[in-house]
Amino acid sequence: MSGNAFTYGNLILLYCKFDMDNLFRSDDNGVVDSDRKLSYDSLPDFVKARVTLCVDTFNLIMKSKPDKFYTTVILITDPIFNNIIRDHLIIEGISGQYIEQDNTSKTIESVINNVVNRVRSLANPPAIYFVGSVWQKEVFDSIVNSKLKNKFKIFFEGALDHRSYELIEKDKFIEEPKKSSTYYKHKLTNKAIDTLLNYIFSNKRK
């Protein structure tokens, strides 16, 4: 997915944004325990699966790439989870010197935009690894194909997500890039052409 002959360094984008509505579950009496102390174990399984995959990706880079010491893990999450996930990454062997935090990106699209702005001026930009859930690949591919156009070497690493189809579709809807006015103008133009052609050919058949 790249036209670059040479990259230097590695960026691992650990995407841990998620809907917190289901983080605090109610007890048998329907009382929501919103005052429960947050810990790594309290994170959803699909988020922890992304963290584990990030650690695996980091370790693979450290074992196999000559530019391994120019590696950065960018943790994309809400501020209340920063220290929880960062501390776990350190426990798993990723030194804090390799970890940065991004609390401003709200979606996959905004993550990609920020990274492109960061590396676009580099003669040999780093290889980019996006770590999310497997279902996010469809959204990721649509953004990369429209915005990057093979300018960077970028890979998708997908962790399993065992939630229900309904919950995943809800998250996918939030993540899908918003269509610009250009998109809708193009769509309307195509529809007008289709209508005209249908009219012409239907009259020819009479």
Side-chain angles (χ1 to χ4, degrees):
M1 195 178 291
S2 170
N4 284 41
F6 180 72
T7 61
Y8 191 71
N10 309 279
L11 277 181
I12 303 175
L13 310 175
L14 174 54
Y15 191 69
C16 290
K17 298 288 292 186
F18 63 96
D19 184 358
M20 291 185 286
D21 289 347
N22 297 318
L23 182 61
F24 303 105
R25 300 184 182 280
S26 58
D27 59 20
D28 294 337
N29 297 318
V31 178
V32 177
D33 184 15
S34 59
D35 295 325
R36 182 179 61 179
K37 181 177 175 58
L38 286 174
S39 67
Y40 184 77
D41 288 337
S42 68
L43 294 175
D45 288 341
F46 69 93
V47 174
K48 289 187 284 188
R50 297 179 195 177
V51 176
T52 298
L53 182 56
C54 173
V55 173
D56 292 342
T57 302
F58 180 87
N59 289 337
L60 183 61
I61 289 171
M62 287 295 163
K63 290 177 182 177
S64 62
K65 299 196 69 175
D67 56 357
K68 59 187 177 183
F69 294 118
Y70 296 90
T71 298
T72 300
V73 176
I74 301 180
L75 170 59
I76 302 105
T77 190
D78 289 291
I80 62 172
F81 302 115
N82 269 339
N83 291 337
I84 292 173
I85 299 176
R86 185 179 185 277
D87 289 348
H88 186 80
L89 291 173
I90 293 173
I91 290 172
E92 291 297 318
I94 300 179
S95 172
Q97 68 182 4
Y98 294 111
I99 304 172
E100 293 183 10
Q101 295 169 342
D102 174 0
N103 301 139
T104 61
S105 297
K106 303 300 183 185
T107 62
I108 295 173
E109 184 175 24
S110 59
V111 170
I112 299 300
N113 286 338
N114 287 339
V115 169
V116 169
N117 290 333
R118 174 175 177 157
V119 304
R120 71 164 71 245
S121 62
L122 301 178
N124 299 112
I128 302 168
Y129 302 82
F130 180 92
V131 180
S133 293
V134 288
W135 60 265
Q136 291 174 325
K137 188 175 190 306
E138 181 181 347
V139 176
F140 172 85
D141 284 346
S142 68
I143 296 169
V144 168
N145 290 335
S146 64
K147 291 181 177 293
L148 302 189
K149 301 184 186 301
N150 298 324
K151 293 179 180 177
F152 306 100
K153 186 171 286 186
I154 182 165
F155 307 93
F156 179 88
E157 305 291 339
L160 294 179
D161 186 339
H162 296 292
R163 291 178 299 160
S164 67
Y165 172 81
E166 289 76 14
L167 287 176
I168 290 177
E169 284 298 303
K170 179 182 176 183
D171 281 359
K172 186 182 292 187
F173 177 78
I174 295 172
E175 289 291 355
E176 286 180 346
K178 301 298 182 287
K179 304 297 190 298
S180 65
S181 59
T182 303
Y183 168 85
Y184 289 108
K185 287 177 182 177
H186 182 69
K187 193 169 184 180
L188 286 172
T189 301
N190 287 343
K191 185 175 181 181
I193 292 173
D194 289 341
T195 301
L196 177 60
L197 290 175
N198 287 335
Y199 174 78
I200 292 172
F201 285 109
S202 63
N203 284 341
K204 282 186 176 181
R205 286 195 294 268
K206 291 180 180 180

